[in-house]
Amino acid sequence: MDHDQLQEIQRPLKDRYREDADAAKIRLHAKGDLGDGISCSVDTGRRMVEAGLHPATGGTGMLACSGDMLLQALVACAGVTLQAVATSLGFNVRGGTVSASGLFDARGTLGVDREASVGLEDIQLRFDLDADLDEEQRASLLKLTERYCVVLQTLRSTPTVTASLAVA
């Protein structure tokens, strides 16, 4: 897809959202089914992914780790966002990789140490690109990718999250 094709696709969407801000608000959904043992099968829209405990907390390593899945969502969103921004700016990004890492302290989720965090800390996102970009273009591409990446901004903004439990 080139700059003009992207603009043609997005122009009517942007116009509609300028006229009706509520039309731009879309509730996304995820659903999982509790599985055998300690697992949860998550429907990704393409296939089912069975998640389980990380080996550091008693898992076998045969099932997906939800912490890894969080980082994978960040990588996917950041990669798509970077490509959309580059296309919009007319930058030629021939390819590359996106990677993310985060520090997980198993003591927190296992209840070993009440002071240990539960969750990922020190998340690092990295882009290694095959592109001819000068320093100003690289800075602009990174800044706009960070600004428009939904998952990155969600992690940075600490959204309100509510939980409920119902029993049938």
Side-chain angles (χ1 to χ4, degrees):
M1 179 177 301
D2 66 20
H3 173 269
D4 293 334
Q5 292 169 318
L6 180 61
Q7 294 299 315
E8 186 177 324
I9 290 168
Q10 290 184 338
R11 185 176 297 110
L13 296 170
K14 289 180 178 185
D15 291 344
R16 179 172 178 224
Y17 301 154
R18 283 185 188 102
E19 293 174 18
D20 181 6
D22 287 339
K25 296 178 182 176
I26 302 132
R27 182 164 296 275
L28 304 178
H29 299 273
K31 184 179 179 189
D33 292 315
L34 300 180
D36 294 333
I38 300 175
S39 69
C40 182
S41 294
V42 180
D43 185 353
T44 68
R46 297 280 183 225
R47 65 183 182 95
M48 297 297 284
V49 174
E50 192 172 7
L53 293 172
H54 187 278
T57 63
T60 65
M62 298 300 294
L63 302 179
C65 166
S66 54
D68 289 335
M69 293 169 71
L70 176 70
L71 294 174
Q72 291 160 0
L74 175 59
V75 165
C77 188
V80 169
T81 302
L82 179 130
Q83 289 181 307
V85 168
T87 299
S88 183
L89 294 175
F91 296 167
N92 183 20
V93 175
R94 293 178 291 275
T97 60
V98 184
S99 58
S101 66
L103 183 62
F104 167 61
D105 187 340
R107 296 174 306 156
T109 196
L110 288 175
V112 171
D113 182 347
R114 287 180 134 340
E115 301 301 315
S117 68
V118 177
L120 297 178
E121 295 179 328
D122 189 30
I123 296 175
Q124 299 175 2
L125 178 63
R126 179 181 174 95
F127 302 93
D128 291 293
L129 303 180
D130 178 10
D132 297 319
L133 302 173
D134 62 33
E135 188 65 35
E136 184 178 316
Q137 290 171 321
R138 287 195 306 264
S140 179
L141 183 57
L142 181 59
K143 178 183 174 182
L144 293 173
T145 298
E146 288 181 273
R147 179 177 178 184
Y148 296 119
C149 177
V150 172
V151 175
L152 177 60
Q153 288 303 320
T154 300
L155 290 169
R156 285 183 171 166
S157 69
T158 314
T160 301
V161 179
T162 58
S164 62
L165 187 146
V167 177

